[in-house]
């Protein structure tokens, strides 16, 4: 992703003939990694900067071992044009014309990223940096040394690469050390390889707590990041927790949660699409989750009940053949976590393929035994109403599954065909009703 509009001075990088200064990089091991926090109104921490006379005599290090040193020939106009940090350094620290040495002290963990950043300031390209962790480290260095063009380049590159959470291929300590622009870049991606939006929220919460111990300041950070969190795709269980937490001010929490619940309650996909089209808010855009989003409705009376809606495209169903399965996001009932798992499998005689649907229980902490009445339904033509396909009763005591290899009572070819009565506008609408009757 080279920038064609900006000049390239790659030929001048570390070339004494086109340089007017010597940059001495002292690389140390141990100690705190030098990072910069770009959260609003927070004080930036900067790398130690020293100037030395022409004879190159530097101050002695107080603490052994001595740092490793790398010297680079640099052009102060090129670096100053790209970075306010270097502009201030050269204009304030080089008053005497004979002072042509400048020393930067960085940690060994920063070395590769800083070197790539310096090259970028000459070439406007990071052609050798292609993986997510390396791009994030250069982004951190660019934020630290105020190279806005490199921050923009890294952000655009990261948005074109599928990333994973909770760590986006970074160790936890590096994730929490990301600048604000780094965490925003993560949240802007539609291709995070995660099971559900709950994980995104937990990562943001952890990042905010690591960067601020003051409640009001942390709430301000979360308010700033809220437009990048897809609240409508979080589970109802997690949304309820937001209402009773101090993550946001009460009025903000109620607005975010109720907007999300209203979106979930819209049974019409066309209406949901209209909301997305009319809004420029990223919160309504679905990411590429590894587990399929669901909509749930919960009741406590006359008995505990959970109704789960799961929609699958014809393409997703086609991908199940001949022996694959997918999983829904988790939902809760009677103190247990459950999920739905559509699949393609053969009947018990191992003759024909069918569309199957299973209910899985997930252990979480102590063992809870519950007896569940369940019904599996699907919409079908011509009425487009839900019709009960299978039902039963099962006592869950651990990590278990119950379901049907042929939930629709049709061979695979009839189920997936163009004239299938089960697809409405190329969508399969499934519903599971779970009840606990005491």
């Amino acid at each position: 992703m080279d920038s064609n509009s900006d000049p390239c001075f790659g030929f001048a990088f570390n070339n004494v003939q086109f340089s007017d200064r010597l940059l001495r990089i002292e690389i140390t091991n141990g100690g705190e990694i030098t990072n910069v926090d770009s959260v609003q109104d927070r004080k930036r921490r900067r790398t130690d900067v020293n100037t030395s006379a022409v004879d190159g005599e530097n101050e002695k290090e107080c603490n052994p071992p001595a740092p490793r040193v790398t010297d680079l020939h640099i052009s102060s106009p090129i670096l100053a044009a790209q970075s306010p940090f270097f502009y201030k350094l050269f204009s304030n620290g080089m008053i005497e014309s004979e002072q042509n040495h400048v020393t930067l002290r960085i940690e060994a963990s920063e070395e590769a990223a800083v070197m790539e950043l310096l090259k970028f300031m000459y070439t406007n390209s990071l052609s050798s940096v292609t993986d997510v962790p390396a791009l994030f480290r250069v982004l951190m260095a660019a934020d630290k040394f105020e190279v806005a063009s490199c921050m923009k380049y890294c952000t655009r590159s990261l948005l074109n690469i599928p990333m994973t959470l909770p760590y986006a291929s970074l160790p936890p300590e590096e994730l929490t050390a990301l600048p604000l622009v780094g965490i925003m870049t993560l949240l802007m991606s539609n291709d995070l390889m995660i099971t559900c939006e709950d994980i995104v929220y937990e990562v943001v919460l952890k990042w905010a707590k690591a960067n601020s111990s003051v409640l009001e300041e942390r709430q301000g950070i979360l308010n700033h990041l809220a437009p990048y969190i897809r609240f409508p795709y979080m589970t109802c269980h997690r949304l309820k927790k937001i209402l009773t937490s101090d993550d946001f001010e009460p009025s903000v929490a109620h607005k975010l949660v109720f907007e999300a619940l209203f979106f979930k309650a819209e049974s019409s996909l066309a209406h949901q699409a209209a909301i997305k089209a009319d809004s420029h808010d990223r919160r309504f855009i679905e990411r590429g989750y590894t587990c399929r989003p669901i909509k749930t409705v919960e009741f406590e009376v006359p008995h505990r009940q959970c109704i789960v809606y799961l929609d699958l495209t014809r393409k997703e169903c086609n991908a199940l053949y001949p022996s694959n399965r997918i999983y829904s996001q988790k939902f809760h009932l009677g103190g247990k976590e459950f999920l739905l798992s559509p699949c393609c499998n053969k009947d018990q005689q191992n003759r024909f393929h069918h569309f199957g649907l299973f209910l899985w229980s997930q252990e979480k902490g102590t063992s809870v035994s519950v007896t569940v009445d369940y019904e599996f339904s699907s919409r079908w033509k011509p009425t487009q109403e839900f019709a009960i396909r299978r039902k039963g009763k099962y006592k869950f005591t651990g990590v278990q599954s119950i379901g049907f290899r042929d939930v629709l009572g049709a061979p695979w070819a009839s189920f997936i065909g163009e004239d299938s009565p089960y697809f409405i506008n190329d969508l399969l609408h499934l519903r599971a009703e779970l009840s606990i009757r005491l």
Side-chain angles (χ1 to χ4, degrees):
M1 189 169 59
D2 295 334
S3 177
N4 296 323
S5 59
D6 296 320
C8 176
F9 299 106
F11 63 89
F13 180 72
N14 199 25
N15 188 322
V16 65
Q17 294 183 350
F18 297 96
S19 303
D20 62 338
R21 297 286 188 267
L22 183 68
L23 179 64
R24 178 155 294 173
I25 304 176
E26 294 184 354
I27 304 158
T28 63
N29 290 307
E32 182 183 7
I33 295 176
T34 311
N35 287 319
V36 175
D37 224 333
S38 30
V39 176
Q40 291 178 340
D41 300 325
R42 296 193 65 177
K43 185 178 181 180
R44 288 179 171 266
R45 292 172 287 160
R46 289 300 181 196
T47 303
D48 296 333
V49 179
N50 303 314
T51 56
S52 59
V54 178
D55 59 7
E57 189 176 316
N58 295 322
E59 293 182 1
K60 293 183 179 180
E61 291 293 325
C62 297
N63 298 318
R68 179 164 49 87
V69 176
T70 297
D71 289 339
L72 287 178
H73 297 282
I74 59 170
S75 166
S76 56
I78 291 177
L79 269 59
Q82 290 268 25
S83 162
F85 174 91
F86 283 104
Y87 178 85
K88 294 174 186 176
L89 176 63
F90 296 133
S91 60
N92 297 331
M94 297 292 179
I95 298 176
E96 300 296 332
S97 60
E98 67 271 15
Q99 291 181 313
N100 63 350
H101 289 193
V102 61
T103 301
L104 296 182
R105 185 175 296 114
I106 63 174
E107 291 289 332
S109 59
E110 300 175 288
E111 180 182 4
V114 170
M115 294 302 294
E116 292 294 343
L117 174 66
L118 292 171
K119 292 177 186 176
F120 177 91
M121 296 170 75
Y122 280 80
T123 64
N124 293 296
S125 176
L126 293 173
S127 57
S128 61
V129 182
T130 57
D131 63 280
V132 170
L135 279 167
F136 267 113
R137 292 182 181 109
V138 175
L139 176 62
M140 294 167 65
D143 175 72
K144 178 176 182 175
F145 294 108
E146 303 177 65
V147 187
S149 58
C150 189
M151 292 168 65
K152 182 179 178 181
Y153 183 103
C154 291
T155 299
R156 290 172 56 192
S157 298
L158 286 165
L159 289 177
N160 290 325
I161 303 175
M163 293 181 280
T164 59
L165 280 178
Y167 304 128
S169 302
L170 291 172
E173 64 274 10
E174 291 195 34
L175 178 71
T176 55
L178 283 175
L180 181 63
V181 67
I183 204 71
M184 287 176 62
T185 300
L186 269 180
L187 299 180
M188 289 168 64
S189 174
N190 294 332
D191 298 315
L192 297 180
M193 299 292 103
I194 52 171
T195 57
C196 67
E197 194 69 18
D198 292 10
I199 294 176
V200 176
Y201 187 76
E202 296 302 333
V203 169
V204 173
L205 201 58
K206 180 179 180 180
W207 183 88
K209 289 179 178 179
N211 283 273
S212 175
S213 59
V214 180
L215 176 62
E216 291 77 10
E217 184 176 306
R218 187 165 67 246
Q219 288 177 337
I221 294 172
L222 290 173
N223 286 344
H224 187 76
L225 294 175
Y228 304 94
I229 303 171
R230 319 295 166 89
F231 291 96
Y233 299 97
M234 290 176 64
T235 64
C236 293
H237 184 74
R238 190 62 185 87
L239 287 171
K240 289 177 182 177
K241 286 186 177 181
I242 293 178
L243 288 177
T244 57
S245 71
D246 60 1
D247 299 346
F248 296 93
E249 294 178 357
S251 59
V252 176
H254 281 77
K255 180 177 183 296
L256 293 171
V257 172
F258 291 153
E259 278 184 352
L261 293 176
F262 175 77
F263 184 84
K264 285 177 175 290
E266 288 298 327
S267 58
S268 168
L269 292 176
H271 195 173
Q272 286 193 357
I275 294 176
K276 296 176 186 178
D278 292 341
S279 174
H280 297 292
D281 198 328
R282 287 181 175 269
R283 286 177 295 172
F284 297 107
I285 300 176
E286 182 178 339
R287 302 187 201 269
Y289 302 107
T290 58
C291 290
R292 293 299 301 136
I294 55 175
K295 292 185 288 184
T296 60
V297 181
E298 300 176 14
F299 301 95
E300 291 294 329
V301 292
H303 51 262
R304 282 180 290 178
Q305 183 182 28
C306 182
I307 303 176
V308 184
Y309 296 91
L310 172 62
D311 296 336
L312 301 176
T313 65
R314 190 187 296 270
K315 181 179 179 181
E316 288 172 324
C317 291
N318 260 318
L320 296 175
Y321 187 86
S323 58
N324 298 318
R325 66 171 60 243
I326 56 178
Y327 297 95
S328 76
Q329 294 176 353
K330 297 176 182 179
F331 55 95
H332 296 78
L333 180 67
K336 291 187 73 67
E337 287 184 343
F338 292 91
L339 57 82
L340 295 175
S341 179
C343 61
C344 176
N345 46 210
K346 288 186 176 182
D347 54 29
Q348 291 182 336
Q349 289 74 35
N350 201 32
R351 295 181 301 174
F352 303 106
H353 287 90
H354 300 275
F355 177 81
L357 182 60
F358 288 81
L359 173 67
W360 285 75
S361 71
Q362 301 287 303
E363 273 303 305
K364 187 175 183 180
T366 59
S367 177
V368 178
S369 174
V370 294
T371 300
V372 177
D373 292 313
Y374 60 91
E375 292 182 354
F376 294 155
S377 306
S378 69
R379 289 187 192 271
W380 73 323
K381 301 173 184 176
T383 65
Q384 299 193 10
E385 299 293 330
F386 278 103
I388 298 175
R389 301 299 174 187
R390 306 284 183 179
K391 60 183 179 179
K393 187 173 186 177
Y394 190 78
K395 183 177 182 179
F396 291 95
T397 58
V399 179
Q400 297 167 302
S401 68
I402 189 69
F404 301 92
R405 289 173 174 267
D406 180 15
V407 70
L408 300 176
W412 185 264
S414 299
F415 158 69
I416 205 70
E418 290 297 325
D419 57 349
S420 170
Y422 304 106
F423 287 91
I424 301 172
N425 296 324
D426 276 344
L427 277 177
L428 173 66
H429 302 272
L430 300 173
R431 183 182 69 189
E433 294 190 33
L434 283 63
S435 303
I436 299 177
R437 303 178 188 271
L438 301 178

